[in-house]
Amino acid sequence: MMGGDRERTHSHSAHTYKLHLYLQNHPDRRRTHKHQRSSQTCSSISYETLLHRHEEKYLQFTTNLSNEISQLKNDLRDRSAVIFSLNSDGKTQSDLEVFMQKQLRSAEIASGERVSDELTVVPFDSFTLHRVYQLETGLARHPVERPFRPDRRNELDGALESALHVLNDHKPGDSRHRTSYSPKDFFEGIVRTERDKGTLYDLTFRENVSPDFRRLVFFRPFAPLVKVLDEFIDASQILINIILPLTKQLDAFRRFMQNFSDVCVRRDEQTHLTVVFFGSENMNEVKRILDETSRTMKYRNVTLIHLNEDFSRARGLQVGAHAWSQSNVLFFFCDVNVRFTAEFLNSCRMNAAAGKKVFYPVMFNQYNPEIIYGHHVPPHEEQPVIRKDSGFWKDLDFGMTCQYRSDFTHIGGFEVLVKGRATEDVHLYRKYLHSGLEVIRAPSRGLFHMWTETVCAEHLSSDAFKVCLCSKALNEASLAHMGDLLYHQQINNHLQKYNQHNSNT
């Protein structure tokens, strides 16, 4: 609208000026025009005066806008310089600027930092406009991220926007030829976050008409800490109802109850166990194990629900959750092949809050102990260890979760009849993502999924059978260990030849 007003104003001014020149060059017309003017009313003279006033007004308006645009450009150019006001700790802007300069000097920007070994080096992620190539990934993730996560997209877009503004900021009076850059000229970038210093962006742009490149480096220093919340949580007052769907697996259930007795009965006094058993086979034995635990350990916080139907994990959790009608208890949805520690139970209490947040821990999946340990398999309770050769973070599993009964009820629980490739666990997870509650997703050092054999049924299609075998291979051992098993004979043959060669020499 500003441009249109300015054009109309200049149009009126130009018309008045051309009319003045025309009357000077044509006296007859000027006399005629003077005669016509003599017949004009005072309102016509007022209109011309008003027109000049509007012209001056819009010229001043455009001048002010030009000054504002110039100021905004300066602010945008200096957007990487963080400006702080006086805060509650009494630190002035100068104090915080000194802190930011210290962060800048401590980062590896102008010079490298001496490190003890190659494991100490913090790797960069490289990226283009559409992909991020990353090294620090879990087993189930891809080495290339596409599409970007929304937070990463916003972060990298901000860095690219700042770079393009610097590249295209042509200062007045600069007579040198300047290339105009756009996102399509971005060649590649690398980014690295040092958690005690900040994030470094190293961006490269390709010149349009030459083989040259332009490189810009930005640094986003971390600001001082700001206290957001200070609260006291009495974990001893938070009851956890552990809901366990179960069918047939007696040996696994005995091991689960041994771990439950050690952790929940002996060490944590604020737990309740709800077992939802499907079918009729082994029902009496399950009841006997629960009765024995209650009698010998004087533990009465047990509920057994029997469903004479086919097993469904989501159905079992739903029934177990609805069976609790007392206080707003904290649920932990569990599986029979899962082991947990007392520390995990407290993590469950810390990371879930009614009406605020739910906890989705990432458990550590154990490899096949017979492959890892060979003929010297340790006792079951000693196997949960977090090492690269013993397992991996099961980051695509969303079955284990801690959430309050009120949140589970309000969200609508499981979609038991859900169709499609996603499981009921994934659908519940997505519902929480869309609920407005905070979803805490983090690896848990006290939650383990013990190895269970994957059985690929013969009636599966060829594609499904292949997918099943691939899943089974991932759970058997690490890639290095599987490679050792695959090339075991070749390794032995080479070793024999090597030893024979050394003995001959």
Side-chain angles (χ1 to χ4, degrees), residues 144-173:
V144 179
E145 180 183 334
R146 181 187 182 187
F148 294 162
R149 297 193 314 266
D151 59 331
R152 192 192 290 272
R153 166 61 67 189
N154 293 336
E155 174 197 2
L156 297 182
D157 280 352
L160 287 174
E161 179 186 346
S162 298
L164 288 172
H165 177 76
V166 172
L167 292 173
N168 293 323
D169 187 17
H170 301 163
K171 297 184 181 300

Side-chain angles (χ1 to χ4, degrees), residues 2 46-47 62 87-88 104 108 150 172 206 229 234 239 245 249 300 316 322 364 450 483:
M2 177 192 72
S46 301
Y47 174 77
T62 56
N87 62 19
S88 59
L104 189 62
E108 283 190 285
R206 191 190 299 274
L229 178 65
D234 186 0
L239 177 67
Q249 302 164 286
R300 299 292 182 265
H322 289 161
F364 196 76
M450 308 306 293

Side-chain angles (χ1 to χ4, degrees), residues 127-364:
F127 66 97
T128 61
L129 284 178
H130 305 292
R131 290 180 173 86
V132 173
Y133 301 87
Q134 51 198 2
L135 293 179
E136 295 183 344
T137 60
L139 181 64
R141 295 182 186 170
H142 298 289
V144 179
E145 180 183 334
R146 181 187 182 187
F148 294 162
R149 297 193 314 266
D151 59 331
R152 192 192 290 272
R153 166 61 67 189
N154 293 336
E155 174 197 2
L156 297 182
D157 280 352
L160 287 174
E161 179 186 346
S162 298
L164 288 172
H165 177 76
V166 172
L167 292 173
N168 293 323
D169 187 17
H170 301 163
K171 297 184 181 300
D174 190 351
S175 59
R176 294 177 297 173
H177 174 72
R178 295 285 186 175
T179 302
S180 294
Y181 293 86
S182 67
K184 67 181 179 60
D185 299 314
F186 178 62
F187 175 65
E188 69 174 3
I190 57 175
V191 57
R192 178 177 70 177
T193 297
E194 296 181 79
R195 297 179 181 178
D196 60 337
K197 301 178 180 66
T199 303
L200 178 69
Y201 305 90
D202 194 327
L203 312 176
T204 305
F205 291 80
R206 191 190 299 274
E207 292 277 355
N208 289 333
V209 294
S210 71
D212 299 331
F213 293 87
R214 287 284 300 274
R215 174 174 172 253
L216 288 88
V217 177
F218 291 89
F219 183 65
R220 192 196 306 273
F222 290 155
L225 293 175
V226 177
K227 183 173 68 176
V228 177
L229 178 65
D230 185 357
E231 65 175 349
F232 175 78
I233 300 177
D234 186 0
S236 65
Q237 300 302 314
I238 302 177
L239 177 67
I240 299 179
N241 184 1
I242 302 173
I243 303 179
L244 177 69
L246 180 66
T247 180
K248 299 181 182 179
Q249 302 164 286
L250 276 183
D251 291 338
F253 182 62
R254 290 190 183 96
R255 290 192 294 266
F256 176 88
M257 288 305 299
Q258 180 180 353
N259 178 69
F260 180 86
S261 300
D262 293 338
V263 173
C264 298
V265 181
R266 292 190 176 95
R267 300 179 60 184
D268 193 308
E269 298 178 354
Q270 288 296 314
T271 57
H272 184 98
L273 177 62
T274 300
V275 178
V276 182
F277 187 81
F278 288 82
S280 56
E281 184 179 351
N282 297 329
M283 171 63 186
N284 293 332
E285 184 64 18
V286 168
K287 188 176 184 302
R288 189 194 65 78
I289 294 173
L290 291 176
D291 290 341
E292 182 180 355
T293 301
S294 299
R295 184 178 62 258
T296 57
M297 307 195 72
K298 298 180 180 180
Y299 185 80
R300 299 292 182 265
N301 297 336
V302 176
T303 300
L304 175 61
I305 302 173
H306 180 216
L307 297 178
N308 193 16
E309 54 189 74
D310 293 336
F311 178 80
S312 169
R313 183 178 187 273
R315 165 100 169 122
L317 294 173
Q318 191 100 314
V319 171
H322 289 161
W324 184 271
S325 59
Q326 302 177 37
S327 60
N328 188 21
V329 71
L330 176 59
F331 289 145
F332 169 42
F333 295 158
C334 192
D335 282 344
V336 71
N337 292 308
V338 168
R339 290 182 65 90
F340 53 86
T341 64
E343 289 77 12
F344 167 75
L345 295 179
N346 283 327
S347 295
C348 187
R349 295 181 175 104
M350 297 301 106
N351 291 302
K356 297 180 179 179
K357 56 184 179 179
V358 295
F359 183 37
Y360 272 85
V362 180
M363 56 186 171
F364 196 76

Side-chain angles (χ1 to χ4, degrees), residues 27-86:
D28 295 337
R29 293 291 183 182
R30 183 169 57 187
R31 284 193 297 270
T32 303
H33 183 68
K34 183 182 294 185
H35 176 72
Q36 292 175 349
R37 288 189 60 189
S38 64
S39 64
Q40 288 180 343
T41 62
C42 295
S43 60
S44 300
I45 299 175
S46 301
Y47 174 77
E48 186 175 353
T49 303
L50 184 62
L51 181 63
H52 283 291
R53 288 179 181 175
H54 275 286
E55 181 180 7
E56 293 176 357
K57 178 180 177 181
Y58 281 109
L59 286 175
Q60 183 63 41
F61 179 68
T62 56
T63 301
N64 293 339
L65 285 179
S66 298
N67 293 334
E68 290 182 15
I69 291 173
S70 178
Q71 182 61 41
L72 288 173
K73 286 183 177 181
N74 292 333
D75 293 343
L76 188 60
R77 182 171 55 248
D78 300 332
R79 64 183 297 177
S80 59
V82 184
I83 301 176
F84 294 94
S85 59
L86 187 68

Side-chain angles (χ1 to χ4, degrees), residues 483-496:
D484 183 63
L485 293 175
L486 179 63
Y487 299 109
H488 180 71
Q489 189 60 45
Q490 291 178 257
I491 294 173
N492 286 341
N493 293 340
H494 176 78
L495 182 61
Q496 292 177 2

